[in-house]
């Protein structure tokens, strides 16, 4: 007879005097902050109040679109918003009798299943790994069947811009007229790569970058729940480094907590530790560098740069810190001192002093030269050497007079003008005044101003004449957001070359002789010029068709069409 395991050491009459060893508890897996604090309700979704208000009104008035498109930079809540919409549409309330709501209960079975990612009627697909037409065909086949247990069958497609062109084309018809029980939720970081035919079938929500103050409040709340102490400046530094992304900021905060020391048994996140962790330039060193640039002290500047290199500060971080400081000084001089509260007290006084001392032309020149230096440092094989050369160039530019000052000095006879010794010899005596008056320099306001096309349409016409391909793309696939020469902002309506804005800037410089600032944005703009032409043609045809004589002719001759005399199209 074989004894069972229970017969050894625990059965009656067999006590060996050895106490039973308790089993160690199973290790609890740690969830990173970005996952642990992912928004579970719309109230927890920070920085997107306009979108939440629109969704609330749509649900309240039963005006729900069949397709949603969420776009924005990484980490602002696109996928989380899609899941919250899925919960809002399928929530049945604690009693099981509720309808769609902007405040899902979180306790009913649909809410819990969607939050845990196990609801059979909420299908989440990553378009980055399912890019083909076959993956879309599976969706097209499945939408014909009713949902199993939910009110709506919902398809969440993340990074939808990664779908192939054939996959997009296969989805179009279903996306335009899906069954009543189906909703599509798309998320993308690159909306300009989504075909306009898809965009026109979706209700679009542009999720904004999250302001620094809201991120700081979020990090303070997380630290309180995690039992962590943190300096306010440390949290603000993390929020600034996050660049508007809650997920990036929470990941940096997670790293900062692991990096922090312990005080009274609690982790204590300090600003200097965060700065060291991120490889950022110390603010005191940045102010010292700026003072050395303004003083023209090249020796001290190079010594400070060498010290920063020894501390492990990245050269590009030093340039970024100087750019931020010059921007703060310029904003303070322009009267926007309200933004200075995010700077330490000692820095605010220094910024105010520089704002009083420096002129706008000097600040703008420093900014432009530093931007050029930033590009050089990023592209250089030796970033430290590139940063040294860029800041030495800044030293010489800081002490140069601006063009208006040079013009004034020349009008006053060249006294004190740089390089005056190399010109013609000075003339003393009575003949000096007539000589100076012979060729007066025109006042700055009388100088010739560059001539720009009067409007966007004229600019595109000029491009069509000189650069046909570029002009045609601007005409057909670009939505104007801002035209304030020499600044041009537009939204690209269908995929174009990655460097399309640079090509446009180069062409406009060739046309006008002036440098242009050309940018691509996701902000809404005007219809493209081609769309405007189509709308105008349709309006002309509709107006003509409404005339009694033409309407009677159309009734008398079935199949007849009205031709637009301006375009020759029906």
């Amino acid at each position: 007879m074989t004894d069972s395991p229970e017969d050894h050491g625990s059965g009656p009459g067999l006590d060996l005097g050895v106490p039973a060893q308790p089993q160690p508890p199973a290790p609890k897996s740690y969830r990173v902050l970005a996952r642990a604090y992912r928004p579970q309700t719309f109230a927890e979704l920070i920085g997107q109040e306009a979108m939440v208000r629109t969704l609330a009104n749509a649900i309240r008035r039963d005006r729900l679109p069949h397709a949603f498109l969420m776009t924005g930079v990484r980490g602002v809540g696109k996928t989380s918003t899609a899941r919250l919409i899925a919960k809002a549409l399928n929530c049945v309330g604690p009693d099981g009798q509720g309808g769609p709501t902007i405040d899902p209960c979180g306790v009913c079975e649909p809410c819990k299943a969607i939050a845990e990612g196990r609801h059979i009627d909420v299908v989440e697909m990553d378009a980055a790994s399912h890019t083909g037409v076959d993956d879309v065909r599976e969706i097209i086949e499945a939408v014909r069947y009713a949902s199993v247990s939910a009110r709506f069958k919902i398809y969440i497609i993340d990074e939808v811009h990664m779908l192939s062109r054939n996959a997009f084309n296969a989805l179009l018809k279903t996306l335009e007229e899906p069954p009543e029980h189906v909703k599509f939720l798309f998320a993308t970081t690159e909306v300009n790569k989504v075909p306009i035919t898809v965009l026109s079938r979706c209700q679009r929500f542009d999720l904004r970058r999250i302001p620094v103050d809201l991120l700081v409040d979020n990090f303070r709340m997380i630290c309180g729940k995690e039992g962590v102490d943190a300096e306010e400046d440390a949290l603000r530094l993390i929020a600034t480094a996050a660049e508007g992304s809650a997920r990036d900021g929470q990941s940096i905060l997670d790293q900062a907590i692991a990096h922090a020391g312990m005080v009274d048994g609690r982790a204590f996140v300090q600003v200097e530790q965060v700065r060291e962790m991120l490889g950022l330039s110390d603010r005191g060193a940045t102010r010292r560098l700026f003072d050395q640039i303004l003083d023209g002290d090249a020796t001290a500047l190079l010594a400070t740069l060498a010290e920063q290199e020894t501390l492990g500060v990245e050269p590009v971080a030093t340039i970024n810190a100087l750019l931020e400081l010059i921007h703060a000084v310029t904003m303070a001089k322009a009267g926007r001192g309200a933004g200075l509260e995010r700077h330490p007290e000692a820095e605010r006084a220094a910024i105010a002093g520089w704002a009083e001392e420096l002129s706008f032309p000097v600040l703008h020149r420093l900014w432009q030269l530093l931007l050029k230096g930033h590009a050089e440092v990023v592209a250089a094989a030796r970033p430290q050497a590139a940063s040294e050369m860029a800041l030495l160039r800044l030293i010489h530019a800081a002490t140069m007079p601006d063009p208006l000052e040079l013009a004034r000095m020349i009008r006053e006879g060249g006294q004190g003008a740089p390089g005056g010794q190399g010109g013609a010899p000075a003339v003393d005596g009575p003949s000096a005044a007539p000589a100076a008056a012979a060729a007066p320099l025109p006042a700055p306001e009388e100088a010739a101003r560059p001539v720009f096309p009067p409007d966007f349409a004229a600019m595109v016409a000029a491009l069509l004449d000189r650069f046909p391909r570029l002009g045609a793309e601007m005409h057909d696939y670009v939505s104007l957001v801002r035209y304030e020469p020499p600044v041009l902002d537009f939204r690209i309506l269908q995929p174009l070359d990655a460097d399309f804005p640079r090509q446009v800037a180069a062409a406009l410089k060739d046309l006008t002789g002036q440098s242009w600032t050309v940018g691509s944005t996701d902000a809404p703009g005007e219809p493209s010029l081609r769309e405007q032409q189509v709308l105008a043609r349709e309006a002309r045809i509709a107006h003509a068709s409404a005339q009694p004589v033409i309407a009677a002719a159309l009734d008398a001759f079935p199949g007849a069409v009205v031709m637009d005399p301006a375009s020759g199209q029906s």
Side-chain angles (χ1 to χ4, degrees):
M1 174 178 169
T2 303
D3 293 335
S4 65
E6 287 78 14
D7 292 335
H8 292 282
S10 60
L14 224 90
D15 186 3
L16 300 180
V18 179
Q21 297 297 322
Q23 294 296 321
K28 183 180 179 181
S29 61
Y30 173 70
R31 298 183 72 194
V32 296
L33 298 181
R35 291 187 59 198
Y37 292 93
R38 170 171 275 172
Q40 298 301 315
T41 66
F42 282 104
E44 297 175 5
L45 189 67
I46 59 175
Q48 311 301 339
E49 291 77 10
M51 181 197 67
V52 173
R53 188 182 311 113
T54 303
L55 286 172
N57 291 339
I59 291 174
R60 190 179 302 114
R61 300 166 188 170
D62 195 20
R63 299 180 63 88
L64 293 169
H66 58 270
F68 299 80
L69 176 71
M70 272 69 69
T71 179
V73 299
R74 77 222 176 271
V76 294
K78 298 182 297 296
T79 307
S80 296
T81 298
R83 293 173 181 170
L84 290 175
I85 293 174
K87 290 168 64 175
L89 298 183
N90 284 326
C91 177
V92 296
D95 58 358
Q97 304 299 317
T101 173
I102 196 65
D103 297 311
C105 65
V107 298
C108 65
E109 180 56 28
C111 284
K112 292 193 292 185
I114 293 171
E116 296 168 6
R118 58 180 174 82
H119 200 294
I120 192 172
D121 291 320
V122 178
V123 181
E124 190 166 340
M125 185 181 94
D126 176 23
S129 54
H130 298 81
T131 62
V133 69
D134 290 337
D135 300 301
V136 171
R137 284 200 185 105
E138 292 181 11
I139 296 177
I140 296 172
E141 290 296 322
V143 298
R144 297 184 300 171
Y145 303 102
S147 55
V148 176
S149 61
R151 185 179 296 111
F152 294 104
K153 179 181 284 189
I154 293 177
Y155 290 91
I156 300 174
I157 304 182
D158 204 3
E159 300 301 338
V160 68
H161 67 273
M162 299 292 287
L163 289 179
S164 67
R165 182 173 296 276
N166 288 339
F168 273 126
N169 291 337
L171 187 61
L172 284 180
K173 189 62 179 175
T174 302
L175 184 61
E176 185 171 26
E177 298 178 359
E180 293 293 328
H181 62 275
V182 173
K183 302 289 183 187
F184 289 98
L185 306 178
F186 300 142
T188 178
T189 53
E190 301 185 49
V191 70
N192 60 304
K193 293 185 178 179
V194 179
I196 187 64
T197 49
V198 173
L199 291 176
S200 64
R201 289 167 167 84
C202 302
Q203 187 168 107
R204 173 174 166 174
F205 293 97
D206 290 85
L207 277 69
R208 302 176 180 177
R209 290 181 184 268
I210 303 171
V212 169
D213 290 338
L214 290 181
L215 287 176
V216 170
D217 292 341
N218 180 256
F219 300 159
R220 192 184 300 114
M221 177 272 295
I222 291 175
C223 287
K225 291 187 176 181
E226 295 290 321
V228 173
D229 295 325
E231 293 181 351
E232 188 74 11
D233 285 344
L235 297 181
R236 190 165 291 278
L237 190 62
I238 294 172
T240 302
E243 296 181 343
S245 168
R247 184 177 62 230
D248 285 9
Q250 289 164 358
S251 298
I252 297 172
L253 178 62
D254 220 341
Q255 183 182 359
I257 293 173
H259 185 76
M262 303 293 289
V263 176
D264 296 332
R266 292 164 63 98
F268 183 40
V269 180
Q270 296 175 293
V271 64
E272 292 306 323
Q273 291 175 327
V274 173
R275 195 179 299 281
E276 177 187 353
M277 180 189 77
L278 296 176
L280 299 177
S281 178
D282 174 63
R283 287 190 178 274
T286 303
R287 295 196 298 273
R288 194 161 66 252
L289 275 173
F290 194 53
D291 266 331
Q292 291 160 356
I293 289 170
L294 297 178
D295 293 340
D297 192 344
T299 303
L301 179 138
L302 292 175
T304 304
L305 284 177
E307 175 190 331
Q308 293 294 95
E309 183 185 23
T310 303
L311 293 173
V313 178
E314 292 292 332
V316 71
T318 300
I319 301 295
N320 281 331
L322 283 169
L323 280 169
E324 182 184 355
L325 184 58
I326 292 174
H327 177 263
V329 174
T330 308
M331 292 300 101
K333 189 171 185 66
R336 290 221 3 228
L340 293 182
E341 65 272 2
R342 64 192 185 95
H343 296 271
E345 185 64 36
E347 191 164 287
R348 292 181 210 169
I351 289 174
W354 286 321
E356 288 288 334
E357 173 188 348
L358 300 174
S359 66
F360 278 118
V362 169
L363 289 170
H364 294 328
R365 185 162 62 246
L366 292 175
W367 174 264
Q368 291 295 331
L369 288 171
L370 206 53
L371 276 182
K372 185 176 184 297
H374 182 277
E376 293 172 355
V377 171
V378 169
R382 296 179 56 202
Q384 181 67 19
S387 69
E388 290 171 350
M389 295 300 293
L391 296 188
L392 286 174
R393 185 166 64 229
L394 233 63
I395 281 182
H396 298 291
T399 56
M400 288 175 58
D402 60 81
L404 291 179
E405 179 66 14
L406 279 173
R408 183 191 63 77
M409 294 165 68
I410 294 173
R411 284 202 308 275
E412 292 176 357
Q415 297 180 3
Q421 309 92 303
V427 180
D428 295 328
S431 61
L441 188 73
E445 61 271 13
E446 297 172 359
R449 292 186 174 89
V451 178
F452 297 112
D455 54 33
F456 179 66
M459 186 209 76
V460 172
L463 284 176
L464 281 167
D465 184 56
R466 182 80 66 85
F467 306 96
R469 179 191 63 81
L470 202 61
E473 290 175 339
M474 288 289 291
H475 184 276
D476 293 349
Y477 308 130
V478 163
S479 167
L480 175 65
V481 175
R482 180 170 63 147
Y483 181 75
E484 297 174 2
V487 177
L488 173 63
D489 291 329
F490 51 70
R491 182 161 62 93
I492 297 176
L493 301 179
Q494 82 165 38
L496 296 173
D497 292 344
D499 63 342
F500 180 74
R502 185 193 61 77
Q503 296 177 20
V504 173
L508 290 176
K509 183 176 181 180
D510 184 80
L511 283 173
T512 64
Q514 298 290 321
S515 296
W516 284 64
T517 302
V518 178
S520 173
T521 177
D522 292 338
E526 301 175 358
S528 69
L529 294 177
R530 181 173 179 273
E531 291 172 340
Q532 293 180 31
Q533 288 180 347
V534 171
L535 292 173
R537 183 175 68 248
E538 292 175 351
R540 289 194 297 269
I541 292 175
H543 177 73
S545 301
Q547 302 302 313
V549 174
I550 297 179
L554 292 174
D555 290 339
F557 299 98
V561 295
V562 177
M563 302 293 291
D564 177 25
S567 62
Q569 299 182 17
S570 58

